[in-house]
Amino acid sequence: MTRKGIKMELNYFKDKMFDLLNDADNMEIRDIVVNDRKNVIMVQLADGSVFALECRRLMSAQKRKTSAAMGNVRVCWMRNRGVK
């Protein structure tokens, strides 16, 4: 749930992630590219590293209350050197 009990939607989450990355001055981000169709945020750092953040909803908040599936969640990223 987000503010005032409204369910968090994927597009709202992606927008907030973009805002957080865009405001992160200490990360030396060179570029941020959002592919809304694929739900991916590509982040290129000053050293040439590129990270892909895949955004997807794993389960609804109501199901999470009764499920232990969140214990199986992994955070994955991809790092490429030399991307310009």
Side-chain angles (χ1 to χ4, degrees):
M1 296 276 183
T2 60
R3 45 194 165 93
K4 299 182 183 179
I6 299 170
K7 187 169 82 171
M8 173 81 71
E9 296 296 330
L10 182 58
N11 286 331
Y12 179 78
F13 178 80
K14 290 188 299 187
D15 290 343
K16 289 299 176 184
M17 286 299 300
F18 177 86
D19 291 342
L20 287 169
L21 291 166
N22 199 38
D23 293 339
D25 296 330
N26 61 342
M27 290 186 64
E28 299 182 20
I29 294 174
R30 180 183 294 166
D31 195 17
I32 303 170
V33 177
V34 178
N35 185 330
D36 276 326
R37 183 168 284 181
K38 293 184 179 180
N39 296 318
V40 174
I41 302 171
M42 301 292 291
V43 181
Q44 183 178 20
L45 303 180
D47 70 357
S49 299
V50 177
F51 295 88
L53 305 172
E54 180 183 9
C55 300
R56 59 189 167 111
R57 172 176 251 152
L58 298 179
M59 62 180 60
S60 71
Q62 291 176 345
K63 287 182 183 178
R64 187 177 66 237
K65 290 178 184 176
T66 59
S67 174
M70 290 299 288
N72 297 325
V73 174
R74 296 183 305 170
V75 176
C76 301
W77 66 88
M78 144 178 96
R79 182 176 180 177
N80 296 319
R81 289 251 175 220
V83 177
K84 295 181 181 183

